[in-house]
Amino acid sequence: GNAPPGVDPEAFSWFQTVDVDHSGFISVKELKQALVNNNWSSFNDETCLLMINMFDKTRSGRIDIYGFSALLRFIQQWKSLFQQYDRDQSGSISFGELQQAFSQMGYNLSPQFSQLLLARYAQRSPNPSIQLDRFIHICMQLHSLTDAFREKDTAMVGNVRLSYEDFLTMVVTRML
């Protein structure tokens, strides 16, 4: 068949390939099998789930052709940004590149925090670096948590006072 109105024919073609069970929807498992990083590793489960949830308008845990088409555009935008920050074109983002990316995105984060993210999200190696899927994951979470923080930091001073339960509520509603 032909692509539905408003859906890129290439996205439609890829959707049909990725929809292995021919259900008319893409599951987290199907998405994970379809997406690869520059080192040919599959996208991380958490990142796939985060992205499916972002484009799943029915809260069914799957996306239709329209959600898939929007997801592909979303990934392409992140890939362009990733390539822009991958200065040495190694296919992954190193500590220095990550620091520079955060700075250029407007985040004032310490080298220690960037190191913490590398320790949490990079594959274990002498020179840890971040793949595309983890870069998307980190940036989506940073954006979401920054929005939550800004809701509490109405004076825009960079500090808030909140209860432990308020903190947990911010994290749980933004990250799960």
Side-chain angles (χ1 to χ4, degrees):
N2 291 335
V7 174
D8 175 53
E10 197 174 318
F12 180 67
S13 175
W14 201 29
F15 179 87
Q16 291 179 309
T17 304
V18 174
D19 182 18
V20 178
D21 65 2
H22 306 293
S23 65
F25 295 91
I26 302 296
S27 66
V28 172
K29 182 181 177 192
E30 288 170 325
L31 185 64
K32 181 182 169 65
Q33 290 171 339
L35 299 176
V36 291
N37 289 299
N38 286 342
N39 65 356
W40 297 104
S41 65
S42 294
F43 264 45
N44 173 276
D45 288 344
E46 289 175 324
T47 306
C48 289
L49 181 60
L50 204 60
M51 291 188 304
I52 288 269
N53 287 340
M54 187 176 180
F55 293 96
D56 174 16
K57 301 302 178 212
T58 61
R59 298 255 179 250
S60 64
R62 342 174 276 176
I63 51 175
D64 62 11
I65 180 59
Y66 297 101
F68 184 73
S69 183
L71 173 66
L72 289 182
R73 284 192 303 274
F74 174 80
I75 290 172
Q76 198 50 51
Q77 290 168 337
W78 278 110
K79 192 173 188 175
S80 294
L81 201 58
F82 180 87
Q83 290 168 336
Q84 182 184 323
Y85 295 131
D86 179 17
R87 302 246 189 268
D88 63 0
Q89 298 178 349
S90 65
S92 62
I93 294 194
S94 65
F95 170 75
E97 291 167 336
L98 188 63
Q99 273 288 112
Q100 198 165 23
F102 288 153
S103 176
Q104 289 178 358
M105 286 186 222
Y107 294 109
N108 184 17
L109 302 170
S110 70
Q112 292 81 0
F113 186 76
S114 295
Q115 203 64 56
L116 176 68
L117 288 174
L118 271 177
R120 164 75 168 85
Y121 290 104
Q123 293 174 327
R124 305 272 179 255
S125 78
N127 296 310
S129 60
I130 302 286
Q131 295 296 319
L132 174 62
D133 63 334
R134 295 304 204 154
F135 180 72
I136 293 170
H137 191 109
I138 289 167
C139 292
M140 285 176 67
Q141 287 189 327
L142 263 179
H143 178 77
S144 181
L145 290 171
T146 299
D147 285 350
F149 187 86
R150 283 188 178 140
E151 287 173 15
K152 304 286 183 190
D153 185 18
T154 53
M156 299 295 284
V157 294
N159 289 303
V160 295
R161 187 177 188 106
L162 51 120
S163 72
Y164 181 59
E165 191 163 332
D166 283 346
F167 165 73
L168 290 176
T169 300
M170 278 173 53
V171 172
V172 169
T173 57
R174 295 296 201 282
M175 296 182 69
L176 302 177

